[in-house]
Amino acid sequence: MDTTHIASLRSLAKKRDVLIGAAANWRALRTDYAYREVLAQEFDLLTTENELKFGPLSPRPNAYDFGPAEELVDFAQANDMKIRGHTLLWHKMNPDWLTENNFTRHQALELLHKHIFTVMAYFRGEVYAWDVVNEPIHDNGGLRDSFWLHTIGPDYIEYAFRWANQADPNARLFINDYGTEDLGTKSDSLYNLVKDLLRRGTPINGVGLQMHLSIADSQDFVKPPTVQDLEENLRRFADLGLEIHITEMDVQIQNLSGSMEEQLERQARVYEDVLTVALRNPQLKAFVLWGFTDRYSWIPKATGRPDAPLPFDEYYQPKPAYEALYRALQAA
């Protein structure tokens, strides 16, 4: 495969007024020179992978450790990259001191307010966009059970966005979820939720579609949407006046039949189709991968099976998926 290019992904994306990014692994950034080099060369948007989630950030009451997140922000600023803060609220990775206590609704609202203002004030003016609420929709279309829903109620989402806007009025505020790129029950629920928030005057700027996809020979994974369904889904969110970010894309190939070459070509077509369709929508402002090299992908650990879901292999060599993204940006 010819890996010689006259441009990087970030330079091509800039010409199309779109940010292209990757979630960054703090430990890899500290210890792996090649990781730092490729990340800075190819991307102009950095998403914090775990460093701004509530649990890692505040393992003890009234104490925050901003060190790892600050290193990511410093790296991004040194390399002319914008930051996506991920995430203020999620049903997972919360500290034990939060979830194992029986807080009242009033106390939970106070904790929510304090958390949002503490984190956003620390990085005020430095974080371009925040995933304010992450994965609030259950696969069945209802609101996902979480500490915040259980203790506060459905209006925790509106409180979070209003307080986030007060904490940093210049930050772009997003709701983010998986399995919502296709047309169906879950994406309908996200659409209706956002539409209702806007009707209430809630300060929400955009929707993040994660795009954790799989082309495995199994029904247990999220399949890529059809081109038509993806286009229609993006259009309806854009018609609400929302910005659109693809926020966490990777494409699993485990359990896929065929040679490795065939698997990687099928994977590449998914990447190319998604980016090509997304670029047709003028409200697409960012396209972000969940990592960029197979070396540090979360998927093998989460599934217990080897995989190669990202555009660079474990030795930082571009794969067909990289070439596909490059072509899509060139053709846009």
Side-chain angles (χ1 to χ4, degrees):
M1 179 173 58
D2 180 10
T3 58
T4 302
H5 299 99
I6 60 173
S8 61
L9 294 179
R10 66 181 284 173
S11 64
L12 289 173
K14 187 174 183 179
K15 292 178 181 178
R16 284 136 190 90
D17 198 27
V18 171
L19 295 164
I20 189 158
N25 181 302
W26 167 66
R27 287 180 174 81
L29 198 75
R30 292 192 115 199
T31 60
D32 190 332
Y33 176 79
Y35 182 93
R36 298 169 63 92
E37 186 177 40
V38 175
L39 180 61
Q41 174 182 305
E42 296 291 341
F43 304 101
D44 58 6
L45 181 62
L46 185 154
T47 295
T48 55
E49 190 173 56
N50 292 311
E51 291 70 26
L52 284 174
K53 292 171 181 172
F54 202 165
L57 197 58
S58 180
R60 298 177 306 282
N62 302 311
Y64 281 81
D65 178 10
F66 289 110
E70 197 168 10
E71 288 186 31
L72 290 175
V73 171
D74 289 345
F75 175 85
Q77 291 175 337
N79 290 283
D80 195 24
M81 306 170 78
K82 290 189 175 181
I83 291 280
R84 288 192 92 259
H86 179 80
T87 173
L88 292 171
L89 299 182
W90 190 28
H91 66 282
K92 294 183 179 178
M93 291 184 71
N94 288 306
D96 291 343
W97 65 261
L98 180 74
T99 57
E100 293 179 1
N101 281 296
N102 294 317
F103 292 108
T104 65
R105 170 180 157 87
H106 178 73
Q107 289 171 326
L109 282 168
E110 287 186 330
L111 288 167
L112 177 62
H113 182 275
K114 178 183 178 182
H115 178 64
I116 289 172
F117 273 82
T118 299
V119 176
M120 293 188 70
Y122 192 89
F123 293 106
R124 185 175 174 132
E126 296 184 298
V127 174
Y128 151 73
W130 284 94
D131 288 329
V132 178
V133 181
N134 188 50
E135 301 177 2
I137 307 295
H138 192 277
D139 293 349
N140 64 14
L143 286 180
R144 183 183 295 281
D145 191 24
S146 67
F147 168 83
W148 304 110
L149 179 66
H150 179 75
T151 312
I152 296 173
D155 53 345
Y156 85 89
I157 297 173
E158 184 174 351
Y159 275 110
F161 276 97
R162 292 191 183 280
W163 286 336
N165 178 247
Q166 293 171 17
D168 188 349
N170 294 319
R172 311 304 288 167
L173 306 180
F174 282 74
I175 193 165
N176 189 54
D177 217 322
Y178 71 90
T180 51
E181 54 279 331
D182 211 341
L183 294 176
T185 300
K186 189 169 184 178
S187 60
D188 287 348
S189 294
L190 180 63
Y191 175 81
N192 290 329
L193 171 60
V194 171
K195 191 174 181 179
D196 185 60
L197 289 170
L198 291 170
R199 182 182 62 81
R200 295 170 177 271
T202 310
I204 178 171
N205 303 114
V207 60
L209 306 178
Q210 292 184 11
M211 293 281 178
H212 290 294
L213 304 177
S214 173
I215 47 177
D217 299 326
S218 169
Q219 298 303 312
D220 298 331
F221 302 97
V222 178
K223 296 292 185 182
T226 66
V227 167
Q228 295 78 10
D229 283 358
L230 176 58
E231 197 157 33
E232 184 177 338
N233 196 35
L234 296 180
R235 186 184 304 118
R236 66 173 174 171
F237 283 110
D239 286 346
L240 294 176
L242 294 171
E243 295 178 18
I244 297 167
H245 287 189
I246 305 300
T247 55
E248 305 184 17
M249 189 167 181
D250 48 28
V251 182
Q252 298 179 43
I253 60 173
Q254 58 181 268
N255 292 337
L256 190 64
S257 59
S259 68
M260 179 56 70
E261 182 178 4
E262 291 170 333
Q263 293 177 41
L264 294 180
E265 287 298 334
R266 285 183 62 182
Q267 179 187 64
R269 286 197 294 274
V270 174
Y271 274 105
E272 189 164 10
D273 285 348
V274 169
L275 182 53
T276 298
V277 172
L279 287 169
R280 292 178 194 156
N281 194 306
Q283 288 297 93
L284 179 81
K285 303 302 180 184
F287 181 89
V288 187
L289 306 167
W290 201 248
F292 62 91
T293 167
D294 295 336
R295 178 181 289 261
Y296 298 108
S297 171
W298 68 283
I299 289 172
K301 183 177 180 180
T303 64
R305 297 180 179 180
D307 212 320
L310 292 163
F312 288 87
D313 70 16
E314 59 182 315
Y315 303 107
Y316 300 102
Q317 293 303 302
K319 294 159 55 181
Y322 176 90
E323 305 295 335
L325 296 176
Y326 197 95
R327 285 194 303 270
L329 288 167
Q330 275 189 316

